Amino acid sequence: ALVGLSFSGAIGLTFLMLGCALEYYGVYWPLFVLVFYIICPIPHCIARRISDDTDAASSACRELAYFFTTGIVVSAFGLPIILARVEAIKWGACGLVLAGNAVIFLTILGFFLVFGRGDDFSWEQW
Amino acid sequence: MSGFLESMRCSECVDWGEKRNTIASIAAGVLFFTGWWIIIDAAVKYPHMEDFNHSYHACGVIATIAFLMINAVSNGQVRGDSYSEGCLGQTGARIWLFVGFMMAFGSLIASMWILFGGYVVKEKPLVYPGIAVFFQNAFIFFGGLVFKFGRTEDLWQ
């Protein structure tokens, strides 16, 4: 599972880099979505630290974390679209970045689903 | 790696009732942030004041404050459940919620006013900024409603 996730992560980053580095596109503005990739797991981790995950099915803190994480994901999709609309990047680059976004976020989601369950499951993750 | 397929979940195994809060939070997040990105898009496309008067941003800011106010109090505090007594008490919670909803409805109405009074009536050639303001506030409003009423507090027990 880890290998599969690493592969899809690499594919996603490849799309992102292609969106910047191809001769026809040439500008590096799309790299700003990397910021969104990095901060995306943070609300979830904070909520998990604060609330003891075992006692309630859900809690206000976890829901707030989901809210902000969704916001970060939406922002990572919105930024390339706005950059393309003001002609800072070309629409082809925007499309590549959006595809890369989708793959990376699915990878991060998969990471949390597979590895987020708890330490006692670690022996069967591979 | 041989256990990989066993760890995949089937859709019948997931308890959708328990996920209601999660789904509501995610839907509210999508609505709220889409609203803000719509106005960012309009502000970036039309930087001049004649096309898009940037003081119209105040409407969205008030809507966001209203969103925060509405969701800061839980339904338990408004009902007066004794275990979730906030610093203002039950009456304070009700007044807070009342002011929050007033601001939310006010910003929604203001956005409609901006669209019709500022763009349609004046017959401006460029209506998109007015539509953007309206949709921003509508999305933020509905995001707030979904976040407030889409979640059930029974799951917090």
Side-chain angles (χ1 to χ4, degrees):
Chain A
L2 186 65
V3 175
L5 285 176
S6 310
F7 180 66
S8 65
I11 296 280
L13 284 174
T14 306
F15 279 134
L16 182 63
M17 290 313 298
L18 278 179
C20 301
L22 285 182
E23 273 292 324
Y24 181 61
Y25 301 135
V27 286
Y28 283 87
W29 294 118
L31 289 181
F32 276 107
V33 298
L34 282 174
V35 172
F36 291 122
Y37 296 165
I38 295 177
I39 64 178
C40 153
I42 293 180
H44 186 70
C45 295
I46 294 177
R48 238 190 330 171
R49 285 294 182 107
I50 288 182
S51 70
D52 298 322
D53 221 16
T54 51
D55 56 345
S58 176
S59 79
C61 206
R62 267 185 55 192
E63 289 155 18
L64 199 61
Y66 283 132
F67 176 77
F68 280 119
T69 308
T70 316
I72 293 169
V73 170
V74 168
S75 301
F77 279 100
L79 183 68
I81 292 179
I82 290 191
L83 285 177
R85 275 177 56 95
V86 273
E87 314 286 321
I89 65 176
K90 299 198 176 62
W91 281 102
C94 173
L96 279 173
V97 174
L98 291 180
N101 272 354
V103 174
I104 294 270
F105 283 124
L106 284 174
T107 307
I108 296 178
L109 178 68
F111 215 93
F112 274 100
L113 284 178
V114 171
F115 291 109
R117 286 286 158 249
D119 294 317
D120 26 289
F121 290 101
S122 57
W123 57 272
E124 61 177 58
Q125 295 301 339
W126 300 93
Chain B
M1 285 288 281
S2 60
F4 178 60
L5 285 175
E6 274 84 46
S7 66
M8 288 195 147
R9 299 183 181 276
C10 50
S11 59
E12 289 85 14
C13 314
V14 179
D15 184 1
W16 292 110
E18 272 201 7
K19 300 275 180 173
R20 175 185 160 174
N21 281 12
T22 309
I23 294 174
S25 313
I26 293 176
V30 169
L31 286 171
F32 180 82
F33 284 97
T34 305
W36 270 105
W37 279 96
I38 290 176
I39 201 69
I40 291 174
D41 177 62
V44 168
K45 276 292 261 189
Y46 304 109
H48 303 292
M49 286 291 260
E50 308 89 49
D51 297 329
F52 176 44
N53 190 343
H54 289 280
S55 51
Y56 293 152
H57 284 295
C59 208
V61 172
I62 303 271
T64 304
I65 295 176
F67 176 96
L68 295 173
M69 282 180 77
I70 290 173
N71 286 299
V73 296
S74 63
N75 289 327
Q77 283 172 320
V78 175
R79 274 196 305 265
D81 295 350
S82 52
Y83 293 131
S84 53
E85 203 45 50
C87 56
L88 294 173
Q90 184 188 355
T91 314
R94 287 182 174 164
I95 293 177
W96 183 267
L97 197 63
F98 173 71
V99 173
F101 270 114
M102 257 179 38
M103 285 166 67
F105 282 113
S107 64
L108 188 65
I109 294 170
S111 72
M112 291 188 207
W113 194 338
I114 288 173
L115 170 61
F116 288 109
Y119 287 90
V120 174
V121 167
K122 295 218 177 110
E123 307 241 334
K124 285 199 163 187
L126 203 57
V127 196
Y128 175 68
I131 296 179
V133 170
F134 171 65
F135 273 112
Q136 174 210 14
N137 286 281
F139 277 18
I140 294 178
F141 178 74
F142 286 114
L145 284 189
V146 167
F147 202 59
K148 176 91 187 138
F149 297 115
R151 302 180 298 156
T152 167
E153 301 190 0
D154 299 330
L155 290 179
W156 293 355
Q157 258 58 9

